Amino acid sequence: MCPLLLCITPNQTSFPPPAKHHADQSLKSILDKFRPDVKIFEDIYRKLHNSPELSGQEKETSELVANFLKKLGFEVHTHIGGYGVASVLRNGSGPTVLLRADMDALPIHEKTGVPYASHKTVKDKDGVTQPVMHACGHDFHVVGLLASAELLHAARQYWSGTLICIFQPAEEQLSGAQAMLDDGLYEKIPKPDVVLAQHVMRQRAGTVTVRPGRLLTAADAFDVRVYGRGGHGSAPHTCIDPIVIGAAIVTRLQTVVSREVIPGELAVVSCGSIQAGSTPNIIPSHLDLKIGVRTYDPKVRERVNAAIRRIIEAECEAGGAVQKPLIKCTHSAPATINDGEMVKALRGTFESYFEDNLVDDEPAAASEDFSLLATSVGAPYVMWTFGGVDPQTWDNAVAKGTVHELPSNHSPFFAPVIQPTVQVAVDAMSVGALTFLKKQTS
């Protein structure tokens, strides 16, 4: 039997590259032999895409996942941090490898026109009726991990160790990972030695990207209320107009990145919502802002967030606001910084398996909370990406220089092609796990 990949022991920090020839031969033979019927998972994908669930409402998805894993023979824990599911497959001595997928969808009206498009609406946590769409590809993540769990279960004669599959709720609110931790995740399951995840992105279907270091930014979000004094629009001198103050805040915030961040260092400050008043002849008594921040460097993050607070408070004082503004941080998540040694090991197996379809890409200004599942127990982690754009569509866009116009994550038109996207999701997660699970000796 050919040597299978590499193995690590708990807390090991060095990952020597596997022998390319042996990894290639064993990986392809194992995946080809044990890969489940992909058509079954295509159907599951269509079902999930057609019936998406908002953050904190992932009841049906979690039940589907839990039932599937129980039938396979995994030890399954449900309702962790909401609808989170954690499953464990113990297969002898060796490292503990955690694989994670997120389950939640977004409040977006789908416009893809695919036959399995979502037409669903639900009430959100505030009681507001919202359309729901899997506009970030979490349905692919769920299907990829389910199929990988079945593959690895069937192939357990070729590896040893402990496999953990986590299906996380509320990633879109950047709260699900911490909720699972707060609900005693690692009191229910073993602590991992390595943590892995993947994300479908706007890149050519069939391709995979894994990079060391910076991958995704830290994220901070603020809800702001500016307090004015309402009154008749014909008598502005008797009022304090919060809309004028809010407009000054939004304009001034545009200087934070250009004037307070070192040139070349990434930072993004966006005002995604501004709400005040409802009629043209009434000056409202307050204005609400929602502000999003993305950064990599911790010092830049601290400075940007401090500048935002300073500007909001100063503009309120300059505008004569009747009281200090309310500034509430609604969510905060760390940057995703991939472990360099783990990436070296993964590149060895990914290069041998995916060959020319392992491509390079730049870090993104999107954010994730999955790294908390690793850093909370001191484990190294890696997230890689895989593509979902139809290859011909991608190639045409590259030739025309219009790649930036293709629908990306969170677009109402985001519709990755089912194949080869599903199979790549299955294979990449399986190869990633086998990179770190111990070779089973015969």
Side-chain angles (χ1 to χ4, degrees):
M1 185 182 296
C2 294
L4 174 63
L5 311 177
L6 60 121
C7 67
I8 64 169
T9 56
N11 300 317
Q12 183 173 326
T13 58
S14 179
F15 304 96
K20 184 171 182 177
H21 171 74
H22 290 246
D24 178 71
Q25 185 176 358
S26 56
L27 279 172
K28 289 189 180 301
S29 61
I30 291 171
L31 267 67
D32 288 344
K33 181 177 181 179
F34 294 104
R35 184 188 300 109
D37 184 354
V38 177
K39 290 189 179 299
I40 293 173
F41 293 92
E42 292 176 7
D43 290 340
I44 295 174
Y45 166 76
R46 292 185 183 94
K47 178 179 179 180
L48 292 174
H49 191 89
N50 182 251
S51 302
E53 296 174 298
L54 289 180
S55 303
Q57 299 182 11
E58 307 92 341
K59 180 177 184 293
E60 293 182 4
T61 305
S62 66
E63 288 177 351
L64 182 155
V65 164
N67 290 336
F68 184 95
L69 294 166
K70 287 175 183 176
K71 288 180 181 177
L72 282 180
F74 279 71
E75 167 194 323
V76 178
H77 304 267
T78 60
H79 295 92
I80 307 174
Y83 287 109
V85 177
S87 61
V88 182
L89 178 62
R90 293 177 172 87
N91 189 38
S93 63
T96 298
V97 176
L98 187 154
L99 311 178
R100 174 273 205 175
D102 37 13
M103 300 185 290
D104 53 330
L106 288 157
I108 293 176
H109 174 62
E110 182 162 357
K111 299 179 181 179
T112 62
V114 296
Y116 46 88
S118 169
H119 302 286
K120 186 175 179 179
T121 60
V122 300
K123 290 184 183 291
D124 64 16
K125 60 184 177 61
D126 298 319
V128 179
T129 299
Q130 300 277 13
V132 193
M133 175 190 174
H134 266 302
C136 201
H138 295 186
D139 40 2
F140 277 106
H141 304 170
V142 171
V143 166
L145 184 50
L146 284 178
S148 180
E150 182 169 340
L151 188 157
L152 293 167
H153 179 271
R156 58 193 182 279
Q157 70 197 76
Y158 292 100
W159 60 268
S160 64
T162 299
L163 175 67
I164 298 172
C165 297
I166 296 286
F167 293 82
Q168 180 197 313
E171 184 280 327
E172 294 295 357
Q173 294 182 349
L174 299 179
S175 61
Q178 189 62 54
M180 293 187 77
L181 294 170
D182 292 343
D183 202 16
L185 173 66
Y186 291 126
E187 296 169 10
K188 299 174 174 67
I189 65 171
K191 295 179 180 179
D193 296 306
V194 295
V195 178
L196 303 172
Q198 60 183 359
H199 207 300
V200 63
M201 301 289 277
R202 182 178 61 186
Q203 63 188 65
R204 194 179 196 272
T207 63
V208 176
T209 296
V210 59
R211 57 174 297 116
R214 294 181 173 188
L215 178 70
L216 302 172
T217 56
D220 298 286
F222 300 93
D223 280 0
V224 178
R225 173 157 288 188
V226 175
Y227 296 96
R229 183 166 60 238
H232 203 292
S234 66
H237 59 289
T238 66
C239 309
I240 294 175
D241 193 339
I243 294 179
V244 174
I245 298 174
I249 290 171
V250 173
T251 301
R252 182 76 177 183
L253 287 177
Q254 308 311 305
T255 68
V256 173
V257 174
S258 65
R259 290 295 176 267
E260 301 200 39
V261 175
I262 298 170
E265 180 63 53
L266 187 144
V268 178
V269 177
S270 299
C271 178
S273 174
I274 180 167
Q275 302 286 334
S278 58
T279 60
N281 64 341
I282 299 174
I283 292 175
S285 59
H286 67 268
L287 172 141
D288 292 322
L289 294 169
K290 293 183 182 294
I291 298 168
V293 183
R294 306 296 172 112
T295 54
Y296 276 118
D297 184 88
K299 292 182 178 179
V300 171
R301 184 183 189 185
E302 182 179 358
R303 180 167 182 177
V304 167
N305 288 343
I308 289 170
R309 289 182 177 274
R310 186 190 73 236
I311 287 170
I312 293 169
E313 291 174 355
E315 291 293 350
C316 285
E317 183 176 357
V322 298
Q323 66 184 81
K324 289 187 176 181
L326 174 66
I327 306 173
K328 179 183 178 182
C329 181
T330 56
H331 66 246
S332 181
T336 302
I337 310 294
N338 282 339
D339 182 83
E341 290 300 314
M342 284 182 65
V343 169
K344 287 181 183 178
L346 285 166
R347 286 195 71 90
T349 51
F350 279 12
E351 283 177 354
S352 66
Y353 187 84
F354 293 105
E355 299 177 339
D356 292 341
N357 286 318
L358 181 66
V359 299
D360 293 324
D361 204 357
E362 295 299 316
S367 301
E368 260 273 5
D369 64 347
F370 120 92
S371 64
L372 294 171
L373 299 173
T375 57
S376 63
V377 291
Y381 66 87
V382 169
M383 172 180 278
W384 63 83
T385 65
F386 61 101
V389 180
D390 174 74
Q392 189 61 56
T393 300
W394 177 268
D395 293 344
N396 290 341
V398 169
K400 297 176 182 177
T402 58
V403 167
H404 65 284
E405 296 178 8
L406 296 175
S408 63
N409 304 66
H410 291 221
S411 164
F413 299 99
F414 186 69
V417 291
I418 293 180
Q419 288 295 2
T421 311
V422 168
Q423 183 162 323
V424 170
V426 177
D427 289 2
M429 190 60 89
S430 302
V431 171
L434 289 170
T435 301
F436 300 105
L437 288 165
K438 182 181 178 183
K439 172 190 176 292
Q440 184 71 278
T441 57
S442 57

